[in-house]
Amino acid sequence: MRVNTVSPGPVRTAWWTEEGGAADILSARTGADRDAVLDRVAPELMNLSIPRLVDPQEVADAIVLLASPRSAATTGADLAVDAGFLKQV
């Protein structure tokens, strides 16, 4: 049996983008408009190595890779799809 995990970081989902979501809350607190929050402010505040929120497709791609035969010998792995939020090697 194989067991692997995917640990997403800040993903650009409805939690961020819907009206009243995280982008609006940060916009009100920082004075930046919501687009600036999504594109620049939030990644800067989280000190992301890749300065953008993760696209949901990137998380899905990691899951598909781990579930595919291409990763048949991979077990006990955790893929951090987090734009560099975790600072470790």
Side-chain angles (χ1 to χ4, degrees):
M1 171 171 52
R2 296 185 311 136
V3 177
N4 297 296
T5 58
V6 174
S7 297
V11 180
R12 193 173 182 138
T13 61
W15 188 85
W16 281 96
T17 61
E18 284 187 353
E19 187 173 330
D24 287 339
I25 293 167
L26 283 174
S27 177
R29 292 191 182 203
T30 63
D33 66 70
R34 71 185 323 274
D35 288 333
V37 167
L38 289 167
D39 295 336
R40 183 182 49 79
V41 175
E44 286 176 7
L45 288 173
M46 290 181 276
N47 194 31
L48 299 179
S49 298
I50 299 171
R52 63 176 177 77
L53 299 176
V54 176
D55 185 272
Q57 186 64 51
E58 293 171 302
V59 177
D61 290 344
I63 293 167
V64 169
L65 174 65
L66 285 176
S68 77
R70 301 224 20 141
S71 297
T74 304
T75 189
D78 177 46
L79 290 183
V81 184
D82 66 358
F85 181 75
L86 296 175
K87 308 295 192 262
Q88 64 186 24
V89 177

